[in-house]
């Protein structure tokens, strides 16, 4: 009988095969161009791109003169001490990457979804829509979160009774560590790719060259953020999975383990502990062939049912048993305090994100009801959350915007403007450490016409400065590619809640 992960994998493969190359290209060039919605404010959006057709840079068998460009770095705070660097690809180079992927879509899908694999991936980056086969769905970040939950807490849990142990592992520094030559290895096989390494008729060799020259000629690392990187990382990991699958079969383990993967996160159910340990050794060997390695700190075995579910989820349900109900200020405060406690016990998890999402219904209306005298207190509590988890900054501001729009009085504007203006001024004193926060705060204040509360001095960083000036030139002028719109125009196109599709839980 097919497993639930197996059915999910085959269903996704069928939907991927039905996508039309032109639609894949258009999505990669628009929704997929910038990182996910929580990274950059809504003014960073592609509103015009080159029509699907021939690449900008032609190739011959021995020549492919892709111009060398640098990535535009975007620093995203992971913790108080470390940043994660996202990268935006030069529009011309990105256009040729998207064209090459779309024009070779059948080959890409065949590589991503081999029929004989033992590793079942849940991280196909293009949002296919089960209700409308052949079309790209509306979600990006929200859908990927749904896919992770589907894998880790639904499908694996349904299969777990057949096994005894759960092993979790992930790839160390996956995107920065990917060797661009391994793109061709995954698409054509290592032997063929090496034999024809200077043959640009091979799709993999052209993708290799494009990703190298998008990143200043470097052969190590994919830019984090663009959907084309997500697709190519999936290709490389699918190559790893193919080697791993062959090793599992050769060692008689294919029927004794169930392996799923979400991006670089592997989960392995095993009938015996020794089976799981052997399988992990085989996975390590397969990764080494592609110049990757496991993250030793995050590789651990557990005896089932331990590890199937996130521990903070049950704690959150106990603290907030009716998350879809209305929130008075008193209820909001009590749940808030419980969430902060849960986050301290389970740092780096999604409990704060979950709480913020529950404050908004499917129609993107607030479930939070505040009296005028309670706005100050609620605002103060909300604005402290990004100090615990930087990633929630946009979601907090989206909720504050909804509060402002539900009660657009002068007193509310003054309260919100004063709070955030003072915070912005404080962050400007250490601009280089706070670019992410300044970009989002600047967008919020400018889009909601609260500029009077901001200092006159503007940030020097091109991202944070763009939201104050509504001008952005860091990617240069590209006639066929418009990747920025004015802040007021972005605000008229939709609210911050609409931009952050993570609030939409539709699968």
């Amino acid at each position: 009988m097919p497993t639930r992960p197996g059915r999910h994998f085959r269903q996704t493969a069928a939907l991927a095969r039905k996508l039309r190359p032109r639609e894949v290209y258009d999505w990669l060039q628009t929704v997929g161009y910038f990182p996910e919605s929580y990274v950059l404010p809504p003014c960073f959006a592609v509103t015009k791109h080159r029509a699907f057709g021939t690449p900008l840079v032609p190739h011959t068998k021995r020549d492919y003169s892709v111009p060398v460009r640098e990535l535009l770095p975007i620093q995203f705070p992971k913790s108080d001490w470390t940043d994660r660097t996202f990268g935006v690809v030069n529009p011309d180079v990105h256009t040729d990457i998207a064209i090459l992927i779309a024009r070779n879509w059948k080959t890409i899908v065949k590589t991503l979804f081999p029929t004989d694999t033992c590793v079942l991936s849940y991280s196909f980056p293009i949002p296919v829509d089960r209700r409308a086969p052949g079309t790209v769905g509306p979600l990006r970040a929200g859908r990927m979160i749904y896919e992770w939950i589907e894998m880790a807490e639904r499908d694996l849990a349904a299969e777990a009774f057949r096994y005894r142990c759960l092993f979790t592992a992930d790839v160390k520094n996956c995107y920065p560590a990917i060797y661009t030559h391994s793109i061709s290895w995954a698409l054509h096989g290592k032997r063929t790719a090496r034999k024809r390494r200077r043959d640009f008729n091979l799709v993999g060799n052209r993708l290799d060259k494009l990703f190298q020259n998008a990143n200043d000629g470097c052969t190590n690392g994919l830019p984090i953020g663009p959907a084309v990187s997500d697709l190519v990382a999936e290709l490389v990991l699918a190559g790893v999975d193919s080697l791993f699958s062959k090793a599992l079969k050769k060692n008689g383990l294919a029927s004794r383990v169930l392996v799923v993967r979400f991006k670089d996160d592997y989960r392995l159910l095993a009938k015996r502990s020794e089976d799981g340990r052997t399988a992990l050794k085989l996975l390590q060997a397969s990764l080494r062939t592609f110049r990757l390695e496991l993250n030793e700190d995050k590789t651990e075995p557990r005896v089932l049912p331990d590890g199937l579910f996130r521990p903070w989820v049950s704690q959150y349900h106990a603290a907030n048993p009716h998350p879809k109900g209305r929130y008075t200020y008193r209820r909001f405060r009590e749940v808030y305090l419980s969430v902060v406690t849960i986050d301290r016990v389970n740092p780096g998890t999604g409990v704060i994100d979950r709480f913020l999402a529950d404050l908004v219904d499917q129609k993107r209306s607030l479930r939070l009801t505040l009296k005028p005298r309670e706005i100050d207190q609620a605002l103060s509590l909300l604005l402290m959350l990004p100090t615990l988890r930087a990633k929630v900054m946009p979601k907090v501001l989206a909720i504050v915007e909804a509060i402002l729009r539900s009660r657009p009085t002068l007193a509310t504007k003054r309260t919100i403007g004063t709070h955030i203006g003072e915070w912005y001024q404080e962050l400007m004193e250490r601009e280089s450490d706070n670019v992410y926060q300044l970009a989002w705060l600047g967008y919020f204040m400018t889009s909601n016409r609260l500029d009077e509360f901001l200092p006159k001095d503007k940030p020097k960083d091109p991202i944070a400065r763009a939201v104050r000036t509504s001008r952005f030139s860091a990617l240069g002028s590209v006639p066929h590619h418009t990747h920025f719109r004015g802040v007021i125009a972005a605000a008229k196109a939709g609210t911050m809640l609409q931009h952050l599709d993570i609030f939409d839980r539709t699968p």
Side-chain angles (χ1 to χ4, degrees):
M1 178 183 294
T3 63
R4 286 181 61 153
R7 290 195 294 271
H8 181 280
F9 185 78
R10 286 192 294 275
Q11 183 182 55
T12 305
L15 291 170
R17 282 191 290 270
K18 290 183 178 181
L19 293 177
R20 292 167 292 188
R22 185 182 300 274
E23 189 167 7
V24 170
Y25 170 79
D26 286 339
W27 187 86
L28 292 173
Q29 284 281 73
T30 53
V31 178
Y33 179 71
F34 284 113
E36 293 178 357
S37 56
Y38 66 87
V39 179
L40 289 172
C43 49
F44 296 90
V46 176
T47 56
K48 175 187 174 184
H49 65 280
R50 188 170 182 265
F52 184 48
T54 57
L56 292 167
V57 178
H59 78 280
T60 65
K61 183 175 182 178
R62 298 300 179 193
D63 181 62
Y64 191 37
S65 302
V66 177
V68 177
R69 298 288 185 262
E70 292 189 25
L71 300 172
L72 173 66
I74 303 169
Q75 302 301 325
F76 173 80
K78 287 179 66 177
S79 69
D80 288 341
W81 311 109
T82 60
D83 288 341
R84 186 183 193 193
T85 302
F86 289 87
V88 180
V89 177
N90 171 271
D92 282 341
V93 180
H94 188 278
T95 293
D96 276 9
I97 293 173
I99 287 174
L100 191 55
I101 288 172
R103 291 181 69 171
N104 294 276
W105 188 240
K106 288 184 179 179
T107 301
I108 300 288
V109 172
K110 185 177 179 181
T111 304
L112 290 176
F113 298 99
T115 56
D116 58 349
T117 185
C118 295
V119 183
L120 306 166
S121 172
Y122 278 70
S123 46
F124 182 62
I126 296 179
V128 290
D129 192 337
R130 299 175 188 177
R131 294 163 298 187
T135 64
V136 178
L139 300 181
R140 185 181 176 187
R143 173 186 167 272
M144 294 308 283
I145 289 172
Y146 177 84
E147 290 287 272
W148 189 92
I149 294 172
E150 182 86 356
M151 176 195 80
E153 298 190 353
R154 295 179 187 172
D155 290 356
L156 272 193
E159 301 290 339
F161 74 95
R162 297 186 175 94
Y163 301 89
R164 177 173 174 77
C165 303
L166 169 67
F167 290 76
T168 60
D170 72 9
V171 181
K172 186 175 181 179
N173 285 334
C174 184
Y175 279 48
I178 285 178
Y179 186 48
T180 61
H181 294 340
S182 68
I183 302 168
S184 198
W185 301 350
L187 278 168
H188 310 295
K190 201 168 186 178
R191 181 178 299 178
T192 298
R194 282 185 163 173
K195 186 177 180 180
R196 300 174 59 185
R197 69 174 60 193
R198 302 186 191 283
D199 182 355
F200 290 112
N201 287 333
L202 285 184
V203 174
N205 287 351
R206 298 208 299 281
L207 281 173
D208 173 12
K209 189 72 170 181
L210 285 162
F211 275 95
Q212 278 184 51
N213 286 12
N215 190 19
D216 202 24
C218 297
T219 56
N220 269 88
L222 297 180
I224 300 172
V228 292
S229 291
D230 297 336
L231 265 172
V232 167
E234 277 294 305
L235 283 174
V236 172
L237 291 172
V240 172
D241 295 346
S242 292
L243 284 180
F244 182 34
S245 297
K246 291 175 183 176
L248 288 174
K249 292 173 183 177
K250 183 177 179 180
N251 286 270
L253 291 174
S255 62
R256 301 191 60 81
V257 297
L258 174 63
V259 188
V260 297
R261 177 175 59 77
F262 182 83
K263 295 191 175 181
D264 62 343
D265 178 12
Y266 286 85
R267 300 208 168 197
L268 188 152
L269 294 177
K271 293 184 181 294
R272 300 182 306 170
S273 177
E274 51 266 41
D275 292 338
R277 294 180 187 279
T278 300
L280 280 182
K281 291 290 185 183
L282 298 174
L283 175 58
Q284 283 181 309
S286 301
L287 285 165
R288 279 196 296 269
T289 301
F290 279 77
R291 299 196 178 185
L292 297 169
E293 58 182 306
L294 285 181
N295 187 340
E296 186 176 347
D297 294 338
K298 293 186 179 180
T299 302
E300 57 179 324
R302 296 177 182 176
V303 177
L304 292 169
D306 289 354
L308 280 178
F309 303 101
R310 295 162 292 173
W312 64 263
V313 173
S314 57
Q315 296 168 25
Y316 177 70
H317 281 310
N320 192 17
H322 305 290
K324 307 298 184 187
R326 303 297 301 175
Y327 290 81
T328 62
Y329 172 71
R330 181 177 179 180
R331 182 182 173 219
F332 164 79
R333 182 191 64 198
E334 295 307 313
V335 177
Y336 175 100
L337 294 173
S338 296
V339 165
V340 169
T341 301
I342 295 168
D343 181 73
R344 287 189 179 127
V345 176
N346 305 276
T349 57
V351 65
I352 295 176
D353 305 72
R354 176 64 179 273
F355 172 56
L356 292 172
D358 283 336
L359 295 178
V360 180
D361 64 23
Q362 288 288 341
K363 296 180 180 179
R364 299 184 179 90
S365 297
L366 279 182
R367 294 191 175 106
L368 176 61
T369 304
L370 298 173
K371 297 175 182 177
R373 68 177 182 274
E374 296 167 339
I375 291 177
D376 261 359
Q377 302 165 68
L379 184 64
S380 178
L381 292 177
L382 284 167
L383 293 180
M384 284 190 280
L385 290 177
T387 64
L388 301 176
R389 182 166 168 80
K391 185 178 177 179
V392 304
M393 164 77 84
K395 302 168 198 174
V396 166
L397 293 176
I399 289 173
V400 174
E401 181 182 77
I403 292 172
L404 175 61
R405 295 191 178 195
S406 67
R407 194 183 294 274
T409 64
L410 288 176
T412 303
K413 290 181 179 180
R414 190 178 304 110
T415 296
I416 292 174
T418 301
H419 273 73
I420 296 182
E422 290 174 354
W423 189 14
Y424 189 97
Q425 179 67 63
E426 180 183 337
L427 293 173
M428 278 286 288
E429 295 173 7
R430 297 173 288 109
E431 180 191 329
S432 61
D433 296 331
N434 298 305
V435 169
Y436 177 75
Q437 294 92 328
L438 288 169
W440 278 99
L441 291 174
Y443 176 83
F444 171 85
M445 296 291 274
T446 303
S447 64
N448 287 288
R449 302 182 187 275
L450 298 172
D451 311 61
E452 62 185 285
F453 296 96
L454 290 175
K456 291 184 179 180
D457 292 341
K458 297 176 177 61
K460 296 177 182 178
D461 177 85
I463 299 291
R465 188 176 182 84
V467 299
R468 292 288 307 277
T469 63
S470 280
R471 294 184 180 89
F472 180 60
S473 58
L475 291 173
S477 177
V478 183
H480 58 264
H481 199 272
T482 303
H483 41 258
F484 187 81
R485 55 187 172 178
V487 171
I488 299 303
K492 289 179 179 178
T495 65
M496 292 181 71
L497 288 179
Q498 290 170 324
H499 173 68
L500 297 168
D501 61 6
I502 194 167
F503 284 96
D504 189 338
R505 292 167 177 237
T506 306

